[in-house]
């Protein structure tokens, strides 16, 4: 048996929408993107959404639009994909890490407090595996000190906590539509924001800071444009938007499917020696993006190899960012600085998890994990 780590969810409906766009004349940023943005904003209960090329671009662009840059510090978690910290560097600011909660792997609000200095300007909480961070606590820390909040919601489009979703207790929330994410167009991203002023900045800075976007420049008649501010090339295309549009209608349905598969996994792994799970906090609805288990550190790499040898796609979420060579070399980070994140980094294994996964495959993965942990 072969169980891939990920299988995307692009269906005939999405292919038809893409085909329709390809038969049209304009395939860069145009009407499909606008329709997608409206639909995403409505879906998230946010005033505005802006489509970009990746979550990395979204995080970077949000920091820029919120005035975060050179000389500023941004607090985030080491327990994330490198994109989160790299986006801070893209903005010219300095990433400052705060350690995570041992039971969830999410950034610990108490550690955020300790990491704040005179230079702190923003916080990027990352909703690990799909469970939202304690946004009420983080928002109250930010409010007292006038810090900006940009959520990295790459795992958590469907997440809710204390009744709030991504973007509702923050200045902006960033989503990823990368190949392995719950909603995908191969590569893509978006922001939701509350402020019209910020939205208008984002619409310009995602396209070089031009005063008119391409659809308008190449409309019926050519029209002149100016560049009044600095910008990047991060605009989402109609091709990406066409693939994404209809997936939003299936988000809840797919979450329910994953919730059932999640239960099946828990049942199959019940009582398995040394297998632990991140806790879902009370009042929290996880987006259930990744099914991650925590196993004894000394067995982890053997188990990864054992699963791979059985044809099972596995991954590690995450090796902490501060232990990456570049960050150690350039910022003096070293082992021991964020012990909770480091411990998770040594014990974590992510198993295949998506709506089309079959119960028999979960059975196979679960048996394989137990065998691999027993050195078989
Ligand atoms: C996937 C991911 C990103 C980056 O998304 P891209 O769209 O590939 O830029 C950022 N943060 C987290 C937590 C992710 O998992």
């Amino acid at each position: 048996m072969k169980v891939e780590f990920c299988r995307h969810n692009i269906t005939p409906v999405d292919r038809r929408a893409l085909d329709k766009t390809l038969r049209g004349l304009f395939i860069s940023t145009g009407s499909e993107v606008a329709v997608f943005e409206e639909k995403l904003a409505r879906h998230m209960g946010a005033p505005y959404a802006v489509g970009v090329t990746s979550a990395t671009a979204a995080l970077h662009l949000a920091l820029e639009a919120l005035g975060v840059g050179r000389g500023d510090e941004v607090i985030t978690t080491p327990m994330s994909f490198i994109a989160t910290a790299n986006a801070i560097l893209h903005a010219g600011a300095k990433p400052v890490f705060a350690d995570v909660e041992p039971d969830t792997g999410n950034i610990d609000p108490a550690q955020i407090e300790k990491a704040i200095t005179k230079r702190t300007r923003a916080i990027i909480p990352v909703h690990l595996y799909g469970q939202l961070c304690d946004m009420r606590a983080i928002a109250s820390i930010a409010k007292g000190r006038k810090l900006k909040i940009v959520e990295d919601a790459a795992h958590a489009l469907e997440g809710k906590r204390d009744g709030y979703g991504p973007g509702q207790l923050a200045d902006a929330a960033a989503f990823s539509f990368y190949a392995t994410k719950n909603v995908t167009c191969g590569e893509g991203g978006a922001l939701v924001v509350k402020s019209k002023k910020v939205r208008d900045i984002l619409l310009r800075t995602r396209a070089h800071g031009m005063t008119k976007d391409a659809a308008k420049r190449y409309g019926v008649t050519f029209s002149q444009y100016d560049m009044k501010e600095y910008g990047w090339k991060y605009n989402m295309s109609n091709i990406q938007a066409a693939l994404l549009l209809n997936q939003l209608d299936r988000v809840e349905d797919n979450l329910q499917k994953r919730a059932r598969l999640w239960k099946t996994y828990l049942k199959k792994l019940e009582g398995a020696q040394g297998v632990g799970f991140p806790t879902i906090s009370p009042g929290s609805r996880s987006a259930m993006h990744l099914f991650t288990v925590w196993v004894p550190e000394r067995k982890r790499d053997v188990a990864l190899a054992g699963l791979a040898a059985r044809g099972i796609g596995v991954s590690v979420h995450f090796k902490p960012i501060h232990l990456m060579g570049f960050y150690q070399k350039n910022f003096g980070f070293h082992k021991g600085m964020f012990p909770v994140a480091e411990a998770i980094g040594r014990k974590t294994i992510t198993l295949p998890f998506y709506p089309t996964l079959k119960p028999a495959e979960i059975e196979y993965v679960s048996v394989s994990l137990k065998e691999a942990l027993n050195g078989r």
Side-chain angles (χ1 to χ4, degrees), residues 53-59 79-85 126-129 152-155 174-181 186-190 289-290 317-318:
T53 45
S54 68
T56 312
L59 292 167
M79 184 42 55
S80 182
F81 182 53
I82 44 176
T84 316
V126 179
H127 306 313
L128 191 67
Y129 309 145
D152 180 337
H155 293 184
F175 304 104
S176 172
F177 309 123
Y178 174 67
T180 59
K181 300 302 193 315
E187 298 282 356
H289 172 51
L290 298 174
H317 296 92
F318 290 96

Side-chain angles (χ1 to χ4, degrees), residues 227-286:
M227 175 188 161
K228 292 204 173 104
E229 66 204 301
Y230 188 55
W232 293 266
K233 181 59 177 158
Y234 286 162
N235 52 306
M236 176 181 274
S237 75
N238 278 352
I239 293 179
Q240 292 166 306
L243 278 170
L244 294 169
L245 259 179
N246 297 292
Q247 291 185 54
L248 289 179
D249 302 331
R250 308 197 297 269
V251 157
E252 285 302 312
D253 212 37
N254 282 333
L255 175 60
Q256 276 176 30
K257 284 181 187 154
R258 290 198 304 281
R260 284 198 287 277
L261 298 172
W262 188 283
K263 274 194 192 148
T264 309
Y265 256 132
L266 290 182
K267 209 186 291 157
K268 298 286 174 199
L269 290 171
E270 203 182 320
Q273 269 292 320
V275 179
F277 307 93
T279 308
I280 308 284
S281 307
S284 176
R285 179 182 92 148
S286 174

